[in-house]
Amino acid sequence: MDSAEQVAPRPVGIVIDLADVDAGMLPEVGGKAANLGVLLAAGFPIPDGFCVRTAAYRQAAAAAGLGPAVEALQASADRPGAETGQTASNPGEPDLAGFAEQIRTRLEATPIPEDIAEAILAAYTRLGEDTPVAVRSSSTAEDLPEASFAGQLTSYLNVIGPDALLAAVRGCWVSLWTERAVAYRADHGIAQDSVGIAVVVQKMVDAAVSGVLFTANPLTGRRQETVVDAAPGLGEALVSGAVNPDQFRVDAATGEILERRFGDKRIEIRATPGGATRRLQLQDGLQQACLTDEQVQDLYRLGALAEEHFGEPQDLEWAIEPDGEVRVVQSRPITTLYPLPEPYDRDDGARAYLCVSLLQGLTRPMTPMGMASFDMIASSNRAAWTSYGEAVYRFAQVGMRIYLDVTPLVRSKGGRSGILRLMKAADARSVDVLRHLAADPRFSLIRESRSASLKTTFRAFPQLRLLPQVLRAMANPAAAMARAKGSRNEFERMLVLQEPASSARRLDFVERVLGKDVTSVLVRELPPPAAGYIWLGLARLALGRLAQTGDLQTVLRGLPHNVTTQMDLDLWRTASVIREDAQSVRTLTEEDPQLLARRYREGALPAVCQNELRAFLATYGHRSVAEIDLGIPRWSEDPAHIINVLANYLKLTDPELAPDRLFKRAAETAEAKAAELAARARGRSRLRGRIVAHSLRRARATAGMRESPKFRLIATLAALRQQLQLVGKELADAGRITAPDDIFFLDFTEARVGLRGADLRGPIAERRRNYQREMRRRHIPRLLLSDGTDVEAAMAAQTRAVSPADGQLSPGTLVGAPASAGTVTGKARVILDPVSARLEPGEILVAPSTDPGWTPLFMTAGALVMEMGGPISHGAVVAREYGIPAVVGVPDATTRIRTGDTLSVDGAAGTIVVEA
């Protein structure tokens, strides 16, 4: 019998040797197999094996008739809440998890097609009869830069024999439809009907030691730091969390082992002779390391080669055989790393970047045009920031968010002191992070003269240039407020573009307003509120120890002249009018807000509702959630959020809890507190009492204008957005972009290139994908170093290293910064995005951060808890004015608190007691 008769021909498209796999075969072999093929071709020590292609799965799926069930699952995944699995809209209707179970049941019940089974077993025979193998899933949506799918799909170890192999292959296919895999795809925006799955079959490594290696620190984000986790036996013990591994940190530039931490290693998983695995109990896991220093350094060098080969940080799974031979069984990108602020070169020195987006209450990414607009406004002030040499402020766009290079400030005595004082008021959590950074030798103070330090402080805070105008406002608040009001007439003239205008002229107009006009107008609105807070500081100084915790916060309740507060009260009045019309009430409370928004645009809402909503939007339609981003639709374009808030207001039936009455009581409480504080001071001396009374009266008269400059800025952005939409329409009509709003995924230069004829649809599609990926990112570093280190995460990791914990966040007392005095006990409502969110009257709003677009929710909230912010952050100011307790700067509040938890919030002490 010749060789052609001995070995049956392999059916094309079903099985392929790993040695024949290359990077371009992802749709055929999935992410895991593609990466292994690349590493094998590059000479990495990869166990021999083969891949069952995605074509085999698709044939099996067709035989099982999965098509209709997958389509139904996709429809379920498209509904809101899909990532939680709670998508059933009617009782008895299958939800996301139910459809997934149907798919698994059909796939398990259908025999593997005969030709596929024959191809798999033929390839298995070539590895050696009854050879132990590892069988791993390799999805087409797996091990990609944007989604690793780590731990989502099934693997089988020590599989022996044909029947066991076929069962393992089927098990891998079925794992594509587990609840967690389906929910993961829904959460990452991956279509359920777009994924396929291949299966990798490799010779089993009978590991003496195994583990994972990260070529960048996955906890802190620091590049050039390799982390190795290791445990005895097979890697299943480590991956499943059954064992606390040994951990080694290595400086990837020098190979020096920076840290060795030994885990308990009380469990070891080993292969058994007949197949499968068994779990062994170890007695001396704490006594010795399972890797030598030489092995650690060998592994880190292997990781460095993998990173160099793929061009990005890698997560490797490895195993060491009893003879000491190292095998790599998997490599994938580390998808959780936050992008670097700039290409990293350790020889250039470390730089530190503070997230400006977070300071503005913005956790979501910004559109490219939004970032370009921010840069245009910042450019108009750069001359003021570089008067004495090196620029104090340098902005960077990182992860589609705005960061400020604070390195010069942190290294200057005056700048460091100033930024710490500012952060204490604006974002309390940043204070400890900046202090931690200051202890880093790379950010030590530069020796400078007192005059140089003062110059740095002056450059760092250009608002100090307004000091003469602020002093005038302190002397005559009425005149200052009149000047600010006069600037609004100039503001309105500034936003008028004579028509008709070409698209090129519209771009010129937008750039001129952002780069020159807007700043000069807005700064005229700053002196009155600045004067108000200086008066407040003078009152605090005069009171000294006579002022108790929360007293001065109380004085700031119910401030007049606050445009955001007035907006929310006007929205409440709109709801009050609508409440009198039964048809409008039924419409708002019974129909979907998105449908109602479309009906509003068509003019088809009940008359009372239509007219009242139109009147509100005529004044406030330029606002929105995340409104500092010019690329975000305004309420006038999409009023669904406002409609949803109105529906929520209609649920409030207790007249004593009506927001207008609460605001009035807050103002009365503030006036009474101011009088009480003045009386306390008068008890010490008549002059002291007069100073306190005068200071607090002036503070209340002007501090409420704090929101006015931003209100004008947002109105400017909305007007300029309309101009850009007209440019986008021309580009879309010419086929250079797909839709008019695509222009917000370009910058100004690119828009001009489009007007000259360039097709921009490809770059826009890629940016939209990046934008959606960043929308899913939950953790944003508030302080980021140029080597990728998330300083706050590094602080937490250091704390864990000194005081190991079990990793569980138990209910108890959470601590933040006190922002608005008062105590409330109520149910928590965790809201990550206010659009379409429902907040029942009296519930405690728990949010990552807030901006003016969130504040309509404050009107019926019992209290506010925020992860971001300080006493003068936006949410804190508005909470005080409404008289609701608030605690801000609470680490991980949105994950440690769950909707429905009972919270006791003490806004004066800055504490939250959580009862699940």
Side-chain angles (χ1 to χ4, degrees):
M1 184 178 294
D2 60 28
S3 59
E5 294 175 323
Q6 292 176 13
V7 180
R10 184 180 67 207
V12 175
I14 292 180
V15 171
I16 181 173
D17 287 339
L18 285 178
D20 296 328
V21 171
D22 59 50
M25 300 176 69
L26 175 66
E28 300 174 55
V29 300
K32 185 182 281 90
N35 288 349
L36 288 173
V38 169
L39 290 175
L40 190 59
F44 281 76
I46 307 297
D48 189 20
F50 61 90
C51 176
V52 183
R53 299 195 205 209
T54 56
Y57 163 74
R58 291 194 174 95
Q59 184 178 337
L66 299 187
V70 172
E71 290 177 5
L73 173 64
Q74 180 60 48
S76 180
D78 288 338
R79 294 203 295 269
E83 67 277 4
T84 67
Q86 304 300 315
T87 58
S89 56
N90 298 307
E93 177 184 342
D95 58 9
L96 185 150
F99 285 121
E101 184 179 9
Q102 289 181 13
I103 294 171
R104 294 196 304 273
T105 300
R106 290 187 184 184
L107 201 53
E108 289 168 341
T110 303
I112 295 178
E114 187 174 344
D115 59 335
I116 294 176
E118 290 177 354
I120 293 171
L121 295 181
Y124 179 51
T125 299
R126 288 193 295 275
L127 291 180
E129 187 174 356
D130 286 342
T131 297
V133 292
V135 182
R136 295 183 173 92
S137 304
S138 181
S139 169
T140 56
E142 183 180 24
D143 292 351
L144 306 179
E146 62 271 16
S148 72
F149 267 77
Q152 299 298 319
L153 304 177
T154 299
S155 295
Y156 297 90
L157 301 180
N158 199 35
V159 176
I160 300 176
D163 292 341
L165 174 59
L166 293 178
V169 169
R170 186 205 302 276
C172 289
W173 291 344
V174 170
S175 73
L176 189 65
W177 302 106
T178 61
E179 291 182 31
R180 64 180 180 179
V182 167
Y184 187 91
R185 290 195 292 271
D187 190 45
H188 284 74
I190 299 172
Q192 306 288 343
D193 52 5
S194 70
V195 295
I197 187 169
V199 179
V200 173
V201 180
Q202 291 175 281
K203 285 185 176 179
M204 182 70 187
V205 179
D206 186 17
V209 183
S210 56
V212 294
L213 177 149
F214 302 93
T215 64
N217 192 315
L219 290 180
T220 68
R222 183 186 173 196
R223 274 59 162 188
Q224 293 293 312
E225 182 173 281
T226 295
V227 178
V228 179
D229 285 354
L234 302 180
E236 183 181 346
L238 191 154
V239 174
S240 67
V243 63
N244 290 321
D246 292 343
Q247 185 175 90
F248 305 84
R249 288 194 303 114
V250 183
D251 186 323
T254 65
E256 177 189 359
I257 298 177
L258 303 173
E259 181 184 33
R260 302 171 182 82
R261 290 171 54 192
F262 300 152
D264 55 26
K265 305 184 297 295
R266 298 185 187 280
I267 293 174
E268 179 179 357
I269 296 179
R270 305 288 304 182
T272 59
T277 60
R278 60 182 175 134
R279 179 174 297 202
L280 304 175
Q281 295 291 329
L282 302 181
Q283 300 301 320
D284 58 351
L286 285 170
Q287 303 304 315
Q288 57 186 359
C290 58
L291 290 178
T292 65
D293 285 0
E294 292 75 12
Q295 287 175 318
V296 171
Q297 291 173 337
D298 287 344
L299 287 168
Y300 112 77
R301 282 190 286 267
L302 198 61
L305 289 173
E307 178 174 316
E308 181 180 0
H309 196 77
F310 285 109
E312 60 185 327
Q314 293 291 298
D315 165 4
L316 276 72
E317 292 186 23
W318 53 267
I320 299 179
E321 295 180 317
D323 62 2
E325 189 75 21
V326 177
R327 299 290 184 183
V328 175
V329 297
Q330 185 166 307
S331 183
R332 55 179 170 240
I334 306 176
T335 60
T336 57
L337 294 175
Y338 199 76
L340 288 172
E342 54 194 350
Y344 176 59
D345 184 345
R346 63 187 295 127
D347 295 328
D348 288 345
R351 301 196 73 86
Y353 298 83
L354 187 68
C355 188
V356 175
S357 294
L358 284 179
L359 295 179
Q360 288 294 318
L362 194 64
T363 56
R364 63 189 293 158
M366 293 182 70
T367 61
M369 188 63 80
M371 291 189 290
S373 301
F374 181 94
D375 188 63
M376 191 77 64
I377 295 171
S379 297
S380 69
N381 292 290
R382 281 191 182 126
W385 298 339
T386 57
S387 304
Y388 300 97
E390 181 193 3
V392 172
Y393 285 164
R394 184 168 67 95
F395 292 97
Q397 299 177 8
V398 193
M400 304 189 83
R401 294 167 180 89
I402 304 296
Y403 278 79
L404 170 66
D405 184 348
V406 294
T407 310
L409 294 179
V410 173
R411 302 205 66 187
S412 162
K413 185 176 181 180
R416 180 182 292 185
S417 175
I419 195 171
L420 285 172
R421 282 197 298 268
L422 177 62
M423 288 300 104
K424 186 176 181 180
D427 180 35
R429 283 174 62 186
S430 291
V431 175
D432 287 341
V433 180
L434 286 165
R435 284 176 176 158
H436 180 85
L437 182 72
D440 187 327
R442 295 174 296 174
F443 295 94
S444 59
L445 290 173
I446 297 174
R447 298 189 65 178
E448 57 184 356
S449 65
R450 181 181 296 272
S451 62
S453 179
L454 290 173
K455 288 177 181 179
T456 301
T457 304
F458 193 72
R459 284 184 293 150
F461 303 99
Q463 57 268 39
L464 292 175
R465 299 173 188 272
L466 294 173
L467 189 57
Q469 294 95 308
V470 173
L471 293 176
R472 288 175 64 195
M474 292 181 69
N476 192 338
M481 294 171 73
R483 286 192 294 271
K485 186 174 293 185
S487 72
R488 296 166 199 170
N489 296 327
E490 181 181 348
F491 164 82
E492 292 173 359
R493 291 193 299 270
M494 177 187 74
L495 295 180
V496 175
L497 173 64
Q498 188 172 354
E499 298 288 354
S502 66
S503 288
R505 188 158 167 255
R506 294 187 196 282
L507 288 175
D508 290 339
F509 173 74
V510 172
E511 291 189 78
R512 188 190 76 237
V513 171
L514 291 173
K516 179 182 177 182
D517 297 346
V518 68
T519 302
S520 62
V521 174
L522 292 179
V523 293
R524 299 178 198 173
E525 298 222 21
L526 291 173
Y533 279 96
I534 291 176
W535 280 117
L536 188 70
L538 291 175
R540 179 182 287 109
L541 186 64
L543 283 164
R545 295 181 179 179
L546 295 176
Q548 299 173 1
T549 302
D551 279 349
L552 291 173
Q553 290 181 1
T554 302
V555 172
L556 294 179
R557 291 183 175 182
L559 289 175
H561 311 305
N562 186 317
V563 288
T564 299
T565 302
Q566 189 59 50
M567 174 189 74
D568 296 338
L569 290 172
D570 285 348
L571 185 59
W572 171 253
R573 294 188 187 100
T574 299
S576 299
V577 174
I578 290 174
R579 190 189 301 275
E580 301 303 316
D581 181 67
Q583 184 182 8
S584 294
V585 171
R586 282 195 302 273
T587 299
L588 283 183
T589 57
E590 295 177 4
E591 296 188 31
D592 179 73
Q594 292 292 341
L595 173 62
L596 293 177
R598 185 166 67 248
R599 288 179 59 186
Y600 168 77
R601 291 190 291 269
E602 296 168 352
L605 291 177
V608 172
C609 184
Q610 183 78 26
N611 294 335
E612 290 300 317
L613 187 54
R614 183 188 297 116
F616 176 82
L617 293 175
T619 303
Y620 302 107
H622 63 279
R623 310 214 74 164
S624 69
V625 175
E627 61 190 4
I628 65 169
D629 184 353
L630 178 145
I632 294 295
R634 309 288 116 171
W635 286 340
S636 57
E637 301 171 59
D638 182 7
H641 174 50
I642 290 301
I643 290 171
N644 187 60
V645 174
L646 285 170
N648 193 56
Y649 284 1
L650 294 174
K651 295 180 180 179
L652 187 60
T653 57
D654 185 348
E656 291 305 309
L657 296 178
D660 52 353
R661 295 195 187 185
L662 291 177
F663 184 79
K664 182 180 178 181
R665 286 201 295 271
E668 291 170 349
T669 300
E671 295 286 357
K673 178 60 71 173
E676 177 190 333
L677 292 174
R680 286 186 207 168
R682 196 178 303 115
R684 298 297 177 92
S685 80
R686 183 171 298 180
L687 176 60
R688 195 171 175 183
R690 287 177 179 174
I691 292 173
V692 170
H694 182 75
S695 298
L696 293 180
R697 186 165 55 250
R698 288 289 175 89
R700 283 193 55 77
T702 56
M705 292 187 68
R706 173 187 184 275
E707 295 285 309
S708 295
K710 186 172 184 180
F711 187 84
R712 303 300 160 197
L713 173 62
I714 300 307
T716 301
L717 296 181
L720 300 182
R721 176 180 167 83
Q722 292 177 349
Q723 297 292 339
L724 290 172
Q725 284 175 313
L726 294 173
V727 178
K729 184 177 185 304
E730 178 178 328
L731 291 174
D733 290 344
R736 294 162 196 164
I737 62 179
T738 302
D741 275 7
D742 280 351
I743 193 170
F744 299 112
F745 285 83
L746 303 171
D747 61 25
F748 293 104
T749 300
E750 292 164 337
R752 293 184 186 279
V753 170
L755 291 176
R756 293 196 293 268
D759 186 343
L760 302 169
R761 289 173 293 183
I764 287 171
E766 177 64 22
R767 288 177 186 176
R768 284 191 176 275
R769 285 192 291 270
N770 291 340
Y771 183 82
Q772 290 303 319
R773 181 170 67 246
E774 287 300 325
M775 281 287 289
R776 293 188 292 271
R777 191 185 294 276
R778 287 292 307 274
H779 176 71
I780 314 301
R782 58 187 357 95
L783 189 64
L784 185 67
L785 302 190
S786 50
D787 67 357
T789 300
D790 177 342
V791 179
E792 191 171 28
M795 289 172 59
Q798 190 176 71
T799 300
R800 285 193 297 269
V802 174
S803 303
D806 61 5
Q808 300 299 314
L809 296 172
S810 59
T813 300
L814 308 183
V815 179
S820 179
T823 58
V824 162
T825 298
K827 296 294 185 182
R829 174 75 64 174
V830 178
I831 296 178
L832 304 179
D833 186 341
V835 178
S836 77
R838 293 292 180 116
L839 184 72
E840 299 296 325
E843 286 185 325
I844 296 171
L845 171 60
V846 182
S849 188
T850 63
D851 68 3
W854 286 72
T855 60
L857 294 175
F858 288 25
M859 302 288 280
T860 55
L864 171 69
V865 175
M866 287 199 314
E867 292 181 335
M868 282 289 298
I872 66 165
S873 59
H874 179 269
V877 170
V878 177
R880 283 196 297 271
E881 295 191 14
Y882 291 164
I884 63 173
V887 181
V888 300
V890 183
D892 304 316
T894 60
T895 53
R896 300 180 71 174
I897 298 171
R898 298 181 180 181
T899 294
D901 285 352
T902 298
L903 306 184
S904 295
V905 178
D906 187 331
T911 60
I912 306 106
V913 177
V914 184
E915 299 176 13

